[in-house]
Structure formats: structure tokens, C-alpha cells
Amino acid sequence: TYVQPRNLLRVLESYDPMRRVLVGQKCGPLDGSSRARALCGGAGWAMTTPVHRLLVSQLPKCEKRYFAQSIKWHVADRSRIESQSDRFLSRCFWHELNISITDRAEFNSQPPLFYETKLGHGDRPRGDSKPATFHYLSTRRHAELMKEMTDETLWHNLEHQVGVGRRLSVAEASVER
């Protein structure tokens, strides 16, 4: 996950740091519920200090109840336990802390060009705003983007300039992987 710090600060400054707030990108349903949504771990997420303190106090309980080395159903209370951090933490936030994630268009679980596709528009119909994060960028692509990054420039424009109309050579493609 790559972060554009100035855009992240713009998102976070609109929240009261003393309230219980968890922001990021919502992913698929949690436990089959249409209300409860999981965190998109790759998009990153941010929480206020009160949420952090609450999470730390409940983490041992959450780990015991929702985390496992393999995905399976917990027989005692039929709750699902998983090993992916975004899934197990989502269960902890929702079930134990009574906190749901605030979905923000600035947090993105895919690379910039994805959001220009039909599937990307379905994932982020409001657009990616002034993005704070993107996922699945190689170190090399990130360096290319950062060379020309300014506070006023949107990431998807840079990604489009770098990625569209330019084919990688075989040597570049192997390094990219």
C-alpha cells in the first residue's frame, strides 16, 4: 500500500481525534450480513486514539475468538475465524467493539488505472477523490509516480500518464514483477 501523506492528512483532519472513528475502504460482507462490512486491508485504514485503545484492550479476546492459522468455523459459537488480518480485525471491530468502518473514497484497494475501468467504477462509483492510498503498486511504479508528484496532482492522472501508451520492454517487465 502506498500513501500520499498530504491527502491522508486532509482526510483525517476532518475527524475529531477524541471520538471513535475508523476510516478506510469497505470490502465485502462480513458474516453474510449486508450491514457489516469488512475492511479492505490493502487500502489501509486509520483509527483515532480512543479506537486504538479499545482495540488494544480487546485484542486478546478477538484473537482467541476470530483468529486462526486456517479458515474454519468456530464450533462453540458458530462464528467464523480467519487468519487474514483485515478479516479478523473487521470481526473484532464489528462484533466486540461495536465500530463500523467509515468508507472513504480516498482509500483504494487497487492501483489507479483499475478505477478507470468499468469494474473500478463499480468499486468506487464516487471516484477516488484526492486519493490517500493505493494498493498493488510495485516499488518501481511508485518511484515513477513520486518523481512527478505534487500536492495538486491526482494519483490516477499520473498513473495514467505513466501506464497508458507506454509498453514496458521485456527487461523492464521482468524487473516490474
Side-chain angles (χ1 to χ4, degrees):
T1 301
Y2 290 91
V3 176
Q4 169 43 310
R6 288 183 178 154
N7 289 346
L8 178 60
L9 288 173
R10 283 188 190 110
V11 171
L12 299 179
E13 71 186 6
S14 65
Y15 293 97
D16 179 348
M18 299 316 295
R19 298 193 68 185
R20 291 183 179 181
V21 177
L22 173 67
V23 298
Q25 181 182 3
K26 287 183 180 180
C27 273
L30 191 61
D31 301 328
S33 167
S34 59
R35 280 192 40 220
R37 301 294 296 262
L39 293 164
C40 289
W45 43 280
M47 67 181 114
T48 57
T49 301
V51 173
H52 183 260
R53 286 187 180 128
L54 193 56
L55 177 61
V56 168
S57 73
Q58 294 298 311
L59 204 50
K61 178 181 179 182
C62 290
E63 182 181 19
K64 184 176 179 184
R65 185 165 185 192
Y66 302 111
F67 182 77
Q69 294 305 314
S70 62
I71 298 173
K72 59 185 178 181
W73 286 94
H74 191 267
V75 178
D77 62 6
R78 300 194 44 83
S79 64
R80 192 170 177 160
I81 54 180
E82 302 184 65
S83 59
Q84 298 93 346
S85 61
D86 52 354
R87 299 293 297 178
F88 120 77
L89 285 171
S90 294
R91 293 181 195 295
C92 185
F93 284 122
W94 181 261
H95 294 296
E96 305 303 323
L97 309 180
N98 196 28
I99 295 173
S100 62
I101 187 168
T102 301
D103 191 45
R104 292 295 304 245
E106 295 89 353
F107 288 76
N108 298 281
S109 62
Q110 298 295 324
L113 285 176
F114 171 77
Y115 294 102
E116 293 183 18
T117 67
K118 184 177 181 179
L119 186 59
H121 286 288
D123 187 41
R124 280 284 187 236
R126 298 180 316 254
D128 56 20
S129 186
K130 287 193 173 199
T133 69
F134 281 112
H135 195 41
Y136 297 121
L137 288 175
S138 68
T139 303
R140 183 164 190 233
R141 176 57 57 85
H142 180 253
E144 288 175 336
L145 293 173
M146 292 308 290
K147 280 182 189 175
E148 299 186 31
M149 182 53 120
T150 66
D151 190 36
E152 293 78 33
T153 308
L154 295 179
W155 276 72
H156 74 274
N157 288 339
L158 283 173
E159 176 70 5
H160 192 272
Q161 291 169 9
V162 172
V164 174
R166 176 176 173 257
R167 296 193 184 270
L168 296 176
S169 70
V170 174
E172 288 176 316
S174 65
V175 170
E176 183 90 11
R177 290 188 189 112

